[in-house]
Amino acid sequence: MPIEVVCVGDIALDPSGKLAAMLKASRQAMVNAAKYSESPSISVYAEVEGEEVTIFVKDRGKGFDLEAVPLDRMGIRESIIGRMERHGGSARVRTEPGEGTEVMLTMKVEKA
């Protein structure tokens, strides 16, 4: 599965582990898109702006109904949303059937 990546800005991984958690959440979003979206490619856009890092993972696949995902499926709930919240960040999932999916991850960090 081709993944197109654009990064704007640069930041070192922080000792608190916030950015490592963010990278793991974005990896889960990419894995989900590759496995389930049926999209021909995935795009990732990451930006460091001031003391905030934002990562978008987007596919133009089949999308899904987020509310219909069974509770025992933990990829979105725990590996993405829960992981971001546990580390002080946020995750927003925008999707609907036939419209693809966009996962937006945001984390405040202190720059050295």
Side-chain angles (χ1 to χ4, degrees), residues 13-35:
L13 287 178
D14 59 323
S16 70
K18 286 180 162 188
L19 293 177
M22 186 178 204
L23 291 174
K24 290 176 184 176
S26 65
R27 178 181 61 199
Q28 183 65 49
M30 288 181 257
V31 167
N32 287 356
K35 287 175 73 173

Side-chain angles (χ1 to χ4, degrees), residues 33 37 39 41-43 57-63 99-102:
S37 74
S39 178
S41 66
I42 300 166
S43 62
V57 178
K58 185 171 185 172
D59 68 68
R60 298 194 190 306
K62 63 182 183 177
E99 297 298 320
T101 301
E102 178 183 76

Side-chain angles (χ1 to χ4, degrees), residues 35 48 64 79 85:
K35 287 175 73 173
V48 177
F64 61 97
S79 295
E85 289 174 353

Side-chain angles (χ1 to χ4, degrees), residues 8-109:
V8 177
D10 191 17
I11 191 168
L13 287 178
D14 59 323
S16 70
K18 286 180 162 188
L19 293 177
M22 186 178 204
L23 291 174
K24 290 176 184 176
S26 65
R27 178 181 61 199
Q28 183 65 49
M30 288 181 257
V31 167
N32 287 356
K35 287 175 73 173
Y36 304 114
S37 74
E38 299 178 8
S39 178
S41 66
I42 300 166
S43 62
V44 177
Y45 175 78
E47 181 175 37
V48 177
E49 186 173 25
E51 294 184 348
E52 186 170 271
V53 179
T54 305
I55 300 174
F56 294 90
V57 178
K58 185 171 185 172
D59 68 68
R60 298 194 190 306
K62 63 182 183 177
F64 61 97
D65 178 358
L66 186 57
E67 298 302 317
V69 176
L71 292 176
D72 65 339
R73 300 301 306 256
M74 298 302 216
I76 293 172
R77 285 187 187 85
E78 288 303 318
S79 295
I80 299 174
I81 297 169
R83 178 177 279 134
M84 290 299 293
E85 289 174 353
R86 285 189 302 274
H87 289 87
S90 66
R92 184 188 78 208
V93 179
R94 291 186 348 175
T95 185
E96 67 179 75
E99 297 298 320
T101 301
E102 178 183 76
V103 176
M104 180 178 123
L105 309 173
T106 305
M107 184 73 71
K108 297 273 188 200
V109 293

